[in-house]
Amino acid sequence: MPLRVAAVSVFNPQALACRDCSVRQFALLGAVDEAALVHIHHRIDSVIVQPGETLFRAGDTGHDLITLRSGVVRLERSSEQGERRILRLAGRTDLLGLEAVLGQTYASDAVACTVVEACRLPRAMVDELCAGHPVLTRDLMKRWQRALDDADEWLTELSTGTARHRMLRLWLKLSEYSDARDGGLVWLPSRHDMGAMLNMTFETASRLISALRKEGVVTLVDSRHARLDMDRLLAALKEDT
Amino acid sequence: MPLRVAAVSVFNPQALACRDCSVRQFALLGAVDEAALVHIHHRIDSVIVQPGETLFRAGDTGHDLITLRSGVVRLERSSEQGERRILRLAGRTDLLGLEAVLGQTYASDAVACTVVEACRLPRAMVDELCAGHPVLTRDLMKRWQRALDDADEWLTELSTGTARHRMLRLWLKLSEYSDARDGGLVWLPSRHDMGAMLNMTFETASRLISALRKEGVVTLVDSRHARLDMDRLLAALKEDT
DNA sequence: CGAAAACTTGATTAGCATCAAACCAGGTGG
DNA sequence: CCACCTGGTTTGATGCTAATCAAGTTTTCG
């Protein structure tokens, strides 16, 4: 269950929280002026989600869109037989559950990989705002296109080539989602998750990680964080053709 | 180079062609009323594209969107090293090059697999129409979402499992693109193309096709057409778990 | 008709899955 | 506090799948 943060005090209402939001200029509501924010802030729900918890589930009616303020989320699908496949990751400033705008059900599960700070934007609100703000409609389209580009990139970059090559490119991707706040550390997925992202068994993932540690490309900091040596990573990617 | 069809005569102008278009109610302009059609038909360019010819190329400025009236198109990307990967297929009523609406360059190559009948809709025209027809904006969003769903499906269905399983699921996909006009025949891709779709070598693709022929799942009709035995295909898919 | 391209098939090998066993970390309860 | 259990991880041994290398055959097209 997603947790709601403690109610904000009258001295620090959500309106201020929205206005001063660290990701607003990059997020959906960046297109909306401050005046309009006053009318909508109370409909926005700020949430914190723990690793492993679900933001939404495939097939559920999409009641709201989600803006990520921090953390990493994975979008995944599992087949009837229990086969799980991670489609792609999402991070800071990304908008999830676009299909909700169309009144459709969510197309995949969205699960927190790290602690995630997010905002739930009711579908109806986004709809109303779109009517008054054509920029917002356009922004939504751009986000759809970005999601599509992302999907295509995961297909070409993380689903082709040898296991080692895919693993190296995964680390390149993971580095994009690293949060400056934890000193350049990168989220270290479980071997199982790596397998689900790269279409390999967790044993193979484990072996490859061991190799990369020996080569000094990655250093495990704790069970869910690693440090990357970008120079060595890029060198390894290069000589792998 | 895409070919333009001979100019329509005064007795059979594009306006009629648009109004009576076999795919209009499923296509983008289905959302537009006949009155509006009169004003825009002359800006629409009907084209016929031969197999192997390109509708647009990745990186080109997107000047128009493409509605497919018949035939099969593949969307593909090739890396600098010449590695080619087919992302997905498109068929009748599909709209290609959505990114043009956003003034972006095309994200992939679009190449005709069969003879293709298509209409080029200028980006500017679609833009103008969107302003007057909110339905159209919404339809565009739905199409973006459909493309995304498709991308995700290709990732989960055609990029995971054994080579044989992927091949079987490809035939299921191909059957969706079969045109009733050629008697239930299905487009038979080259072994190279199959490899680029399923992430395998053309030799492996060839071997698998040979096996499926022996099993009576597919029958080659000519070099580019095959007949499918759906019952056997579904049976094969089932026992493959 | 001849050359080039596409396709088929065989032999061998590399890469990864599978099966199996140990290892380690974190959490629970005695 | 320690013994224990559980789930994630590492590592090894073995086998299978599909890549690679290599002919040979068929089709296409000028």
Side-chain angles (χ1 to χ4, degrees):
Chain A
M1 289 291 125
L3 293 169
R4 298 199 171 179
V5 292
V8 282
S9 83
V10 277
F11 301 112
N12 177 25
Q14 184 80 35
L16 282 185
C18 283
R19 197 194 66 190
D20 300 333
C21 174
S22 60
V23 302
R24 189 163 78 86
Q25 64 265 41
F26 311 108
L28 189 69
L29 299 184
V32 177
D33 50 35
E34 292 197 11
L37 264 191
V38 176
H39 298 298
I40 58 173
H41 68 85
H42 65 275
R43 301 175 67 180
I44 296 174
D45 203 2
S46 170
V47 296
I48 293 183
V49 185
Q50 296 300 316
E53 290 181 344
T54 296
L55 283 130
F56 55 73
R57 236 175 275 272
D60 286 357
T61 331
H63 291 302
D64 25 43
L65 285 81
I66 307 231
T67 290
L68 296 186
R69 295 210 313 283
S70 75
V72 180
V73 169
R74 59 176 191 261
L75 296 176
E76 62 184 30
R77 283 185 179 185
S78 2
S79 71
E80 331 59 73
Q81 294 100 331
E83 283 281 324
R84 189 171 66 105
R85 178 81 211 242
I86 296 178
L87 301 170
R88 54 187 168 278
L89 297 177
R92 198 176 117 93
T93 77
D94 282 337
L95 185 66
L96 303 181
L98 285 167
E99 53 270 45
V101 177
L102 301 173
Q104 298 180 7
T105 58
Y106 295 116
S108 62
D109 297 344
V111 184
C113 297
T114 64
V115 173
V116 164
E117 301 178 279
C119 286
R120 298 190 164 272
L121 318 177
R123 178 225 155 157
M125 186 194 82
V126 175
D127 242 2
E128 294 162 26
L129 281 176
C130 276
H133 303 260
V135 210
L136 214 142
T137 308
R138 208 174 172 74
D139 190 68
L140 274 179
M141 290 181 172
K142 281 195 187 147
R143 284 170 187 279
W144 249 301
Q145 181 57 36
R146 202 195 298 172
L148 195 53
D149 283 341
D150 238 43
D152 290 345
E153 198 182 313
W154 276 64
L155 191 67
T156 51
E157 306 276 291
L158 299 180
S159 292
T160 57
T162 63
R164 179 181 161 87
H165 206 191
R166 304 203 301 277
M167 178 60 81
L168 289 170
R169 287 189 281 207
L170 173 62
W171 282 101
L172 206 55
K173 264 264 158 270
L174 288 175
S175 72
E176 295 173 18
Y177 292 100
S178 94
D179 196 326
R181 280 183 297 182
D182 34 42
L185 288 194
V186 175
W187 167 56
L188 172 67
S190 77
R191 307 301 171 270
H192 237 99
D193 284 349
M194 289 183 178
M197 291 190 245
L198 302 176
N199 198 26
M200 61 180 71
T201 61
F202 70 93
E203 293 102 324
T204 300
S206 176
R207 277 181 242 272
L208 290 170
I209 294 293
S210 298
L212 293 183
R213 287 168 69 183
K214 281 204 195 84
E215 298 170 30
V217 177
V218 297
T219 317
L220 306 198
V221 174
D222 63 40
S223 72
R224 289 287 79 101
H225 294 274
R227 188 174 301 285
L228 254 182
D229 184 327
M230 280 309 262
D231 294 338
R232 288 187 184 161
L233 173 58
L234 294 173
L237 270 165
K238 191 162 283 179
E239 76 188 25
D240 233 58
T241 55
Chain B
M1 289 292 124
L3 291 170
R4 298 195 171 183
V5 293
V8 284
S9 84
V10 280
F11 301 110
N12 179 24
Q14 184 80 38
L16 282 185
C18 282
R19 197 194 65 190
D20 301 333
C21 174
S22 60
V23 303
R24 188 163 80 86
Q25 63 265 41
F26 310 109
L28 189 69
L29 298 184
V32 177
D33 50 34
E34 292 198 12
L37 263 192
V38 177
H39 298 297
I40 58 172
H41 67 85
H42 65 275
R43 302 175 66 179
I44 296 173
D45 202 1
S46 170
V47 295
I48 292 184
V49 185
Q50 296 300 316
E53 290 181 345
T54 297
L55 283 129
F56 55 74
R57 236 174 275 273
D60 286 359
T61 332
H63 291 302
D64 26 43
L65 286 81
I66 306 230
T67 289
L68 296 186
R69 296 208 313 283
S70 76
V72 180
V73 169
R74 60 177 192 261
L75 295 176
E76 62 184 31
R77 284 186 179 183
S78 4
S79 70
E80 330 62 69
Q81 294 100 331
E83 284 281 324
R84 189 171 66 105
R85 178 80 211 243
I86 296 178
L87 301 170
R88 55 189 167 276
L89 298 177
R92 199 176 114 91
T93 75
D94 282 337
L95 186 66
L96 304 182
L98 285 167
E99 53 270 44
V101 178
L102 302 173
Q104 299 180 7
T105 58
Y106 294 117
S108 61
D109 298 344
V111 184
C113 297
T114 64
V115 173
V116 164
E117 300 179 279
C119 287
R120 298 189 164 272
L121 318 177
R123 177 226 155 157
M125 186 194 82
V126 176
D127 242 2
E128 292 162 26
L129 280 175
C130 276
H133 303 260
V135 211
L136 213 142
T137 308
R138 210 178 171 71
D139 190 68
L140 274 178
M141 289 181 173
K142 279 192 188 150
R143 284 169 188 278
W144 250 301
Q145 182 57 35
R146 202 194 299 170
L148 195 54
D149 283 341
D150 237 43
D152 290 345
E153 199 182 312
W154 276 65
L155 190 66
T156 51
E157 304 277 291
L158 299 181
S159 291
T160 57
T162 64
R164 178 180 161 88
H165 205 193
R166 302 200 304 276
M167 177 61 79
L168 288 171
R169 286 189 282 206
L170 174 62
W171 282 101
L172 206 56
K173 264 265 158 271
L174 289 175
S175 74
E176 295 173 17
Y177 293 100
S178 94
D179 196 327
R181 280 183 296 180
D182 34 42
L185 288 193
V186 174
W187 167 55
L188 171 67
S190 77
R191 306 302 172 271
H192 239 99
D193 284 348
M194 289 183 177
M197 290 190 245
L198 302 176
N199 198 26
M200 61 180 69
T201 61
F202 69 92
E203 292 102 324
T204 301
S206 176
R207 277 181 241 272
L208 291 169
I209 293 293
S210 298
L212 293 183
R213 287 169 69 182
K214 283 205 195 82
E215 298 169 31
V217 176
V218 297
T219 318
L220 306 197
V221 174
D222 63 39
S223 73
R224 288 291 73 104
H225 294 275
R227 188 174 303 284
L228 254 181
D229 184 327
M230 280 309 263
D231 295 338
R232 288 186 183 162
L233 174 58
L234 293 173
L237 269 165
K238 191 163 281 178
E239 77 188 22
D240 233 59
T241 56

